[in-house]
């Protein structure tokens, strides 16, 4: 006999019923645990009540059901599809009601208890994360239901267990009242996406416990007190501690910090259980208006981290979590905001162990209510307050024993309201040892930190100088940019300018780049899918691909840039006095963990090298150190010193010799190429030859340099607009991508005005302009040669009323083939005017394929900056001045039209851009446009290139489609 299931709980504002009170999470004790992950039986229904609950009863035959992996999201396992929206609710807004169409996954798992499962005590069943609402039955008994997707829920089940044939049934609804509280900018991904575990609870076992481990920097002593719900003893062998739970003890300790994550192993032993403790002693305080840890102000060099894996979504395994932390540490990142929900609890253990400051954020966002002026916002409606308090408690109780967590965050983009205040009061009362963050309240009523997102540089500077006003309370508070540097597509630009402000003003305690990783979903036809690729009726496109890592966790140029910008050692010098200035930018550590070395490079080739002795230097201290004399007999040419700081020994996060910081100091200037105009142009049979240059006599177009064919050489101002060029729809400032298209810069026409042959030059005069506009650029190409080399001088002058900057300014041309590329200039990766901190001058070798940056949505990419000379496709190019080099197997127009990388097909020709200038990148896909100093103004310009046939062939094999 079966009953129709009541699904009223789905739309109930309450957090649920039947679950145990929240408590500290711990992975390992000597109590038995049984992981229930693996293959589960699965049935998907269209509505919450399509099926009765008879499947939960023992004996139900689910043999005909599909199977899914738990942890996992069913929409990533072939059942239904993912939906991406930024802040719009993908259902009508009528809280707490949800649509009738409510994908509902029934999950079944049969299990036996291991033979040695103890008979005494109790057992709890723990769910670490289920989106968005679950009802649970064990052996036919209804245990209750819960919401709060990224929070743990436990049920007491000991009395229901049998040695064999246990039936665990879980009904999961995609939409619930809880969905209104979980409107984070990410894919909507229902499922049991974190672990399900059966935990034996021995009689007399540990219940909840709270490790208080503070550090007094004035005495060097740590005070430990472990509060426990059950009597017990606390031992820390390395510190000789053996005290009763609840009893404080003070001993000399090494403090914990993100830079020096010293953990002490301890044990909490009760009558029935031994729980391992990992204790880090640190004191977090707000004093003199600054966030201090162990007495010192800290500077957050942070990222916002969503949990993401391109195949598994938010069902992350431990190896992926560890990879995230290692990648952060190796890129000089010292802080993470767990945007916008508590992460898998194991992630915090890794932060404790490897050293990251954590802002732990609650699973709360109601951003979609902004569409209705925040009317009906649940955080300002008392009916929802129990659910909000439940979420706050489940986060704090779960994560309170992690030394890495220094700040709690109420959530993200939820407006303001009494519910938030209630959460803040509860958190402050329960855990006064940490600070509280919430960005959405500019008055800072409930918070200990003034926080903003995407404020531009000028405003951040005003805040730093305390000229920003605000409430009395806010004026007393330190500042963090909880989101900045929107890493969508090519960019973010302007990071170095923010970092300078952070370092200049003590009130500015750093920021968190948005965001860590692109949420692209691996897709058989598209490479990586983004919003709209699953036919969503409402979606926000590739706004979900805005990370410093590509979906496969390869670092994007943005991460390389960020690593350089936030490096903890400053290495600088202008080459005038033979010294290098080394500055310790750590907050706690001296420089004794690093080894310093120098190389002396001429034309990018290392001529000499050695070590540099650097004193240990306390945080904040600098030293000017003498560099050796340039090596005698070094070849002539442009020379520089590269000074590196590397790890002196293996660390838990990177091996010895890992580069932490570097700087380059000029030693000898470049001599620009000189080509005497000695050869005469000769016209014959419709062709003009000038040195190695062959031209069409009628059009003046370059046909070849020696035996290297060249096509389509002409002035170019267009680039495939980046996400930051295009800007977000809601951006109020000038969105240059749109302005450029409106002006027609993507469809410029070239009018030939004259082909002039003189004694020593071929001059081609053109006017470059789009249809329908009077704005234009005149472009004069003047070709000369010394017989071996061909020099092109381009002079361009804007005509008409140019009110916008140019995307780029330079020439482009096609080569019939090119594979290997070698250059002397900036590298190894791409760089643009406001993203060039990580570009090092050197001799670089790559291939046309490898010079492409795989942005999920194709766009301008891959430019190498300050290139003195380059060789590719049999051609050598020298620049006067140095230029930007881009080479790709498709045209800019094809790149511009592509929506996924799989649209990019080689057309045979390799298209080369040699640019005199590029417009900055900025961060306008969510934040500010490029600073004016990075604009490429339309103004008269002259630049030249020297072409010759390269001595070494640079075409190796027939190139394939990229
Ligand atoms: C901000 C959100 O907090 C974050 O979740 C993400 O959506 C980010 O923007 C953009 O990628 S909200 C912003 C629209 C002010």
């Amino acid at each position: 006999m079966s009953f129709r299931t009541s699904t009223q709980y789905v739309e109930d504002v309450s957090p649920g019923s039947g679950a145990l009170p929240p408590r500290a999470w711990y992975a390992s004790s000597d109590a038995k645990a049984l992981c229930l992950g693996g293959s589960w039986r699965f049935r998907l229904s269209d509505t919450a009540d399509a099926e009765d609950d008879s499947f939960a009863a023992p004996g139900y035959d689910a043999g005909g059901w599909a199977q899914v992996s738990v942890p996992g999201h069913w929409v990533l396992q072939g059942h239904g599809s993912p939906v991406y929206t930024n802040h719009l609710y993908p259902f009508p807004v009528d809280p707490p009601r949800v649509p009738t169409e409510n994908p509902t996954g029934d999950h079944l798992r049969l299990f036996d208890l291991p033979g040695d499962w103890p008979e005494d005590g109790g057992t709890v069943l723990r769910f670490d994360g289920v989106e968005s609402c679950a009802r649970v039955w064990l052996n036919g008994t209804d245990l209750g239901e819960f919401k709060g997707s990224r929070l743990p829920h436990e049920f007491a089940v000991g009395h229901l267990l049998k040695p064999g044939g246990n039936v665990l049934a879980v009904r999961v609804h995609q939409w619930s009242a809880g969905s209104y509280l979980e409107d984070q900018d990410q894919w909507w991904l229902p499922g049991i996406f974190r672990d399900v575990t059966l935990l034996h609870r021995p009689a007399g076992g540990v219940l909840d416990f709270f490790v208080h481990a503070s550090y007094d920097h004035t005495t060097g002593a740590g005070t430990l007190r472990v509060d426990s719900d059950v009597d017990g003893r606390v031992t820390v062998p390395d510190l000789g501690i053996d005290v009763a739970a609840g009893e404080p003890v003070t001993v000399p300790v090494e403090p914990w910090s993100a830079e020096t994550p010293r953990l002490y192993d301890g044990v909490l032993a009760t009558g029935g259980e031994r729980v391992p403790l990992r204790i880090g002693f640190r004191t977090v305080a707000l004093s003199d208006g600054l966030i201090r840890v162990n007495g010192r102000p800290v500077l957050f060099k942070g990222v916002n981290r969503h949990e993401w894996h391109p195949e598994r979504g938010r069902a992350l395994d431990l190896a992926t979590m560890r990879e995230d932390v290692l990648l952060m540490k190796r890129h000089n990142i010292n802080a993470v905001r767990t945007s916008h929900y508590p992460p898998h609890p194991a992630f915090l253990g890794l932060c404790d162990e490897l050293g990251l400051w954590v802002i732990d954020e609650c699973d709360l966002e109601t951003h979609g209510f902004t569409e209705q002026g925040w009317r009906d916002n649940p955080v300002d409606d008392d009916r929802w307050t129990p659910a909000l308090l439940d979420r706050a408690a489940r986060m704090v109780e779960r994560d309170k024993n992690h030394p890495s967590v220094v700040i709690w965050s109420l959530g993200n983009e939820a407006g303001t309201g009494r519910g938030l205040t209630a959460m803040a009061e509860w958190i402050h009362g329960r855990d006064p040892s940490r600070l509280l963050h919430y960005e959405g309240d500019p008055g800072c009523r409930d918070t200990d930190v003034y926080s903003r997102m995407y404020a531009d540089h000028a405003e951040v500077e005003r805040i730093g100088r305390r000229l920003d006003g605000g409430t009395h309370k806010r004026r007393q508070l330190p500042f963090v940019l909880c989101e900045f540097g929107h890493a969508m597509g090519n960019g973010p630009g302007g990071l170095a300018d923010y970092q300078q402000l952070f370092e200049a003003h003590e009130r500015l305690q750093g920021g968190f780049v948005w965001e860590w990783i692109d949420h692209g979903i691996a897709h058989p036809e598209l490479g990586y899918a983004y919003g709209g690729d699953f036919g969503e009726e409402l979606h926000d496109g590739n706004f979900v691909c805005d990370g410093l890592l590509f979906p496969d966790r390869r670092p994007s140029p943005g991460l390389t840039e960020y690593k350089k910008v936030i490096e903890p050692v400053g290495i600088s010098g202008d080459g005038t006095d033979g010294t290098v200035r080394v500055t310790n930018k750590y907050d706690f550590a001296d420089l004794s963990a690093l080894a310093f070395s120098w190389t002396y490079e001429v034309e990018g080739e290392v001529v000499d090298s050695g070590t540099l002795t650097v004193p240990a230097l306390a945080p904040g201290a600098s030293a000017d150190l003498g560099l050796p004399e340039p090596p005698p007999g070094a070849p002539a040419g442009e020379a520089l010193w590269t000074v590196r700081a590397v790890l002196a020994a293996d660390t838990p996060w990177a091996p010895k010799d890992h580069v932490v910081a570097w700087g380059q100091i000029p030693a000898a200037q470049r001599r620009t190429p000189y080509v005497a105009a000695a050869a005469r142009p000769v016209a014959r049979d419709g062709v003009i030859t000038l040195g190695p240059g062959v031209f069409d006599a009628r059009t003046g177009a370059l046909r070849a340099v020696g035996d290297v064919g060249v096509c389509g050489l002409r002035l170019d101002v267009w680039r495939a607009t980046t996400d930051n060029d295009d800007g977000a729809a809601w951006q109020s400032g000038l969105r240059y991508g749109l302005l450029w298209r409106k002006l027609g810069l993507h469809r410029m026409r070239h009018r030939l005005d004259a082909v002039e042959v003189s004694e020593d030059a071929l001059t081609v005069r053109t006017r470059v302009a789009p249809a329908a506009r009077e704005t234009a650029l005149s472009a004069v190409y003047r070709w000369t040669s010394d017989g071996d080399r061909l020099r092109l001088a381009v002079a361009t002058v804007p005509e008409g009323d140019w009110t916008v900057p140019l995307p780029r300014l330079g020439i482009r041309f096609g080569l019939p083939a090119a594979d290997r590329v070698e250059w002397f200039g900036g590298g190894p990766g791409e760089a643009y005017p406001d993203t060039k901190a990580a570009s090092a001058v050197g001799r670089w070798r790559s291939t046309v394929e490898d010079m492409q940056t795989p942005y999920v949505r194709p766009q301008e990419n891959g430019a190498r900056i300050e290139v003195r000379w380059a060789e590719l496709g049999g051609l050598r190019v020298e620049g006067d001045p140095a230029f930007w080099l881009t080479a790709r197997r498709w045209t800019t127009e094809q790149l511009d039209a592509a929506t996924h990388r799989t649209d990019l097909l080689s057309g045979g020709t390799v298209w080369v851009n040699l640019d005199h200038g590029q417009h900055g990148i900025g961060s306008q896909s969510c934040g500010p446009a490029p600073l004016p100093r990075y604009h490429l103004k339309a103004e008269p310009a002259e630049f030249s290139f020297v072409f010759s046939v390269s001595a070494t062939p640079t075409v190796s094999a027939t190139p394939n489609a990229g």
Side-chain angles (χ1 to χ4, degrees):
M1 163 134 176
S2 66
F3 306 90
R4 290 215 72 74
T5 310
S6 161
T7 54
Q8 217 184 342
Y9 63 91
V10 173
E11 298 185 326
D12 190 338
V13 295
S14 90
S17 67
L20 294 165
R23 63 177 181 128
W25 193 93
Y26 50 94
S28 53
S29 80
D30 56 352
K32 292 261 178 259
L34 177 65
C35 163
L36 294 176
S39 184
W40 290 42
R41 286 288 173 182
F42 178 75
R43 172 181 68 186
L44 183 63
S45 309
D46 295 339
T47 64
D49 58 0
E51 300 284 351
D52 61 38
D53 58 17
S54 57
F55 80 103
Y60 182 87
D61 179 9
W65 289 21
Q67 308 207 30
V68 290
S69 290
V70 171
H73 306 277
W74 71 71
V75 290
L76 297 182
Q77 300 184 53
H79 306 277
S81 23
V83 172
Y84 166 58
T85 57
N86 165 14
H87 75 284
L88 297 177
Y89 288 103
F91 47 78
V93 179
D94 181 26
R97 305 291 311 277
V98 298
T100 304
E101 297 151 63
N102 187 357
T104 292
D106 287 331
H107 296 69
L108 261 188
R109 169 74 147 91
L110 269 54
F111 64 92
D112 299 333
L113 290 178
D116 58 352
W117 196 263
E119 287 184 4
D120 72 309
T123 294
V124 301
L125 174 64
R126 184 172 70 198
F127 293 88
D128 281 315
V130 183
E131 181 171 330
S132 85
C133 169
R135 181 166 201 157
V136 187
W137 295 263
L138 183 65
N139 293 332
T141 298
D142 183 355
L143 298 177
E145 83 289 332
F146 62 88
K147 306 182 189 90
S149 298
R150 298 106 201 171
L151 293 163
H153 295 86
E154 289 182 324
F155 296 93
V157 296
H159 58 297
L160 299 172
L161 286 170
K162 307 181 289 188
N166 292 288
V167 180
L168 176 57
V170 186
R171 171 163 285 179
V172 182
H173 308 281
Q174 171 152 21
W175 310 121
S176 69
S179 304
Y180 285 98
L181 305 180
E182 296 173 6
D183 190 28
Q184 293 93 345
D185 174 10
Q186 58 180 349
W187 294 98
W188 298 90
L189 298 177
I192 305 174
F193 72 98
R194 285 187 192 155
D195 310 314
V196 182
T197 317
L198 205 61
L199 299 159
H200 177 242
R201 303 308 309 130
V206 172
L207 286 172
D208 192 18
F209 63 97
F210 198 160
V211 177
H212 304 274
S214 59
Y215 179 74
D216 182 342
H217 66 278
T218 62
T219 63
T223 298
L224 176 68
R225 193 189 78 227
V226 180
D227 293 338
S228 167
D229 285 4
V230 173
D231 287 347
R233 280 206 85 71
V234 176
T235 48
V236 186
D238 279 1
L239 295 172
I241 291 177
D242 182 354
V243 291
E247 197 178 296
V249 53
T250 300
V251 290
V253 298
E254 291 170 39
W256 188 96
S257 77
E259 293 168 10
T260 55
R262 178 67 164 103
L263 290 176
Y264 291 91
D265 287 326
V267 172
L268 169 61
T270 65
E273 189 178 18
R274 290 169 59 82
V275 173
L277 306 174
R278 308 202 77 192
I279 302 159
F281 292 88
R282 90 278 177 281
T283 292
V284 185
L286 186 64
S287 80
D288 304 328
L290 297 178
I291 304 165
R292 291 176 196 267
V293 181
N294 301 334
R296 297 202 196 171
V298 291
L299 187 58
F300 295 120
K301 301 166 175 177
V303 288
N304 282 278
R305 175 182 179 269
H306 266 290
E307 297 182 308
W308 190 250
H309 185 281
E311 277 112 37
R312 296 191 297 273
R314 290 188 285 275
L316 293 201
D317 58 319
L318 196 59
T320 304
M321 294 183 233
R322 179 173 281 273
E323 195 181 346
D324 277 351
V325 176
L326 293 179
L327 278 166
M328 288 178 193
K329 293 290 290 185
R330 289 174 188 161
H331 288 88
N332 294 331
I333 288 162
N334 73 1
V336 56
R337 173 179 179 229
T338 70
S339 54
H340 300 302
Y341 41 81
H344 187 293
F347 177 77
L348 298 175
L350 294 167
C351 295
D352 296 341
E353 179 189 317
L354 296 162
L356 287 172
W357 306 115
V358 177
I359 298 184
D360 194 359
E361 189 150 275
C362 198
D363 191 2
L364 174 62
E365 172 156 345
T366 62
H367 204 166
F369 286 89
T370 188
E371 291 290 310
Q372 54 202 61
W374 296 103
R375 194 170 47 259
D376 294 335
N377 185 2
V379 309
D380 202 24
D381 178 339
D382 292 337
R383 289 175 302 163
W384 292 83
T385 302
L388 303 181
L389 289 172
D390 181 72
R391 284 168 189 251
R394 286 187 189 279
M395 169 179 73
V396 171
E397 301 301 0
R398 191 194 76 166
D399 296 342
K400 60 186 180 283
N401 294 325
H402 289 285
S404 56
V405 176
V406 289
I407 298 178
W408 300 114
S409 177
L410 298 180
N412 185 59
E413 294 279 11
T416 54
R418 289 161 289 167
L420 291 169
T421 301
M423 289 171 82
E425 282 171 359
W426 185 87
I427 293 173
H428 271 135
R430 174 62 176 148
D431 182 19
S433 76
R434 292 179 173 94
L435 305 181
L436 194 86
H437 169 271
Y438 174 64
E439 185 272 348
D441 176 13
C444 300
R445 184 199 150 107
D446 304 316
T447 62
D448 303 315
V449 184
Y450 175 34
S451 172
R452 289 284 307 282
M453 46 174 74
Y454 307 106
D456 64 23
H457 298 82
E459 183 180 6
V460 170
E461 179 162 16
R462 277 198 303 281
I463 296 168
R465 294 184 187 281
R466 302 180 187 280
L467 301 173
D468 59 310
T471 59
H472 173 78
K473 175 164 178 217
R474 187 176 106 183
R475 293 203 298 275
Q476 318 304 313
L477 296 182
F479 179 78
V480 299
L481 257 183
C482 71
E483 294 178 25
F484 78 114
H486 198 249
M488 184 181 182
N490 186 335
L495 292 177
D497 308 274
Y498 278 111
Q499 190 63 25
Q500 277 167 18
L501 294 171
F502 297 158
E503 291 178 11
H505 305 284
E506 66 167 12
R507 188 189 185 195
L508 307 179
Q509 294 201 262
F512 297 77
V513 166
W514 186 269
E515 67 174 303
W516 177 236
I517 182 168
D518 287 342
H519 310 212
I521 296 179
H523 189 285
E525 282 108 48
L526 300 173
Y528 290 109
Y530 50 78
D533 289 336
F534 298 97
E536 303 102 293
E537 64 176 15
L538 209 60
H539 67 84
D540 288 290
N542 67 319
F543 202 62
V544 79
C545 291
D546 54 359
L548 294 172
L549 295 180
F550 295 112
D552 61 3
R553 287 193 155 67
R554 267 189 292 164
S556 79
L559 184 56
T560 311
E561 173 81 0
Y562 197 36
K563 175 187 178 182
K564 180 76 179 87
V565 163
I566 58 179
E567 59 190 12
V569 184
I571 297 173
S572 60
D574 59 11
T576 56
D577 58 0
T579 67
V580 55
R581 166 161 286 215
V582 175
T583 304
N584 179 358
K585 297 184 177 185
Y586 285 113
D587 293 324
F588 298 88
D590 65 20
L591 297 185
S592 56
L594 303 176
F596 289 77
S597 62
W598 56 265
T599 52
Y600 186 82
E601 295 152 38
V602 179
E603 296 285 307
E605 300 287 12
V606 174
V607 173
D608 201 2
S609 61
T611 57
L612 190 72
T613 307
V614 176
L617 288 182
S622 294
D624 292 314
L625 306 164
L627 288 164
E629 287 296 313
E638 183 177 355
L640 52 75
W641 305 90
T642 301
V643 175
R644 292 184 180 83
V646 303
L647 291 177
D650 289 349
T651 68
W653 48 271
K656 181 175 184 292
D657 294 332
H658 164 84
V659 178
V660 170
W662 57 273
Q664 290 188 315
I665 296 139
Q669 296 301 316
R670 171 176 190 231
R671 290 234 312 273
T672 48
Y674 172 73
V675 176
R680 289 170 155 256
V682 179
R684 188 184 306 140
D685 299 336
V687 162
I688 297 171
T689 51
L690 175 61
V694 181
F695 301 83
D696 183 309
R698 191 176 55 82
T699 62
L702 180 67
R703 290 279 174 255
V705 177
D707 56 2
V708 181
V710 177
C711 68
L713 188 149
R714 60 192 201 182
L715 192 82
D716 195 7
V717 296
W718 184 242
R719 72 183 184 194
T721 52
T722 65
D723 294 314
N724 286 314
D725 289 339
D726 292 337
W730 37 264
Q731 285 283 12
S732 54
L734 296 179
R735 295 163 63 195
Y736 291 110
L738 302 193
L739 295 175
W740 291 337
R741 268 180 228 277
K742 195 165 169 222
L743 187 56
L745 297 188
H746 57 312
R747 47 177 170 77
M748 297 294 260
R749 295 302 164 113
H750 298 247
R751 187 182 76 199
L752 181 62
D753 289 339
V755 178
E756 299 164 1
V757 179
S758 71
E759 277 286 287
D760 60 358
L762 166 67
T763 303
V764 180
R765 298 181 190 280
T766 67
R767 183 177 188 273
V768 183
R773 307 279 170 223
E774 60 171 1
T775 36
L777 296 154
S778 71
V780 178
Y781 308 81
R782 186 166 190 277
W783 298 93
T784 53
S785 174
D786 61 3
D788 292 327
R789 296 181 298 164
L790 184 65
R791 179 172 188 270
L792 166 64
V794 181
T796 172
V797 179
E799 296 173 3
D801 192 12
W802 280 87
T803 53
V804 292
L806 294 168
R808 67 158 16 112
L809 180 67
I811 57 164
R812 75 145 118 164
F813 55 88
L815 293 175
D819 183 11
R820 287 184 287 139
V821 184
E822 181 169 352
W823 73 97
F824 173 44
E830 75 179 27
Y832 290 84
D834 51 350
T835 63
K836 63 177 189 185
S839 183
V841 174
R843 184 80 74 89
W844 304 107
R845 293 169 186 88
S846 185
T847 61
V848 172
E849 274 77 12
D850 288 346
M851 288 179 79
Q852 314 309 308
T853 308
Y855 294 115
V856 172
R857 186 191 73 81
Q859 53 197 279
E860 166 63 29
N861 73 85
R864 268 51 176 191
I865 195 176
E866 284 159 14
V867 175
R868 282 75 161 157
W869 59 256
E871 294 191 3
L872 76 169
L875 204 63
R876 180 180 171 88
V877 187
E878 294 163 78
D880 178 14
F883 57 93
W884 312 67
L885 171 68
T886 311
R888 46 177 76 106
R889 299 196 182 283
W890 33 82
T891 62
T892 296
E893 289 70 21
Q894 288 163 333
L895 184 65
D896 204 11
T899 62
H900 295 81
R901 294 207 80 231
T902 45
D903 295 339
L904 296 171
L905 301 174
S906 168
T909 303
V910 171
W911 290 98
V912 180
N913 275 88
L914 308 179
D915 289 316
H916 179 57
Q918 281 265 359
H919 187 61
I921 295 295
S923 196
Q924 217 186 2
S925 54
C926 194
L931 288 166
R933 62 176 169 277
Y934 303 119
H935 287 202
L936 179 60
K937 291 195 198 72
E939 54 192 19
E942 287 182 32
F943 46 93
S944 64
F945 306 101
V946 176
F947 298 95
S948 55
V949 174
S950 61
T952 49
T954 47
V955 185
S956 61
T958 312
N960 295 316

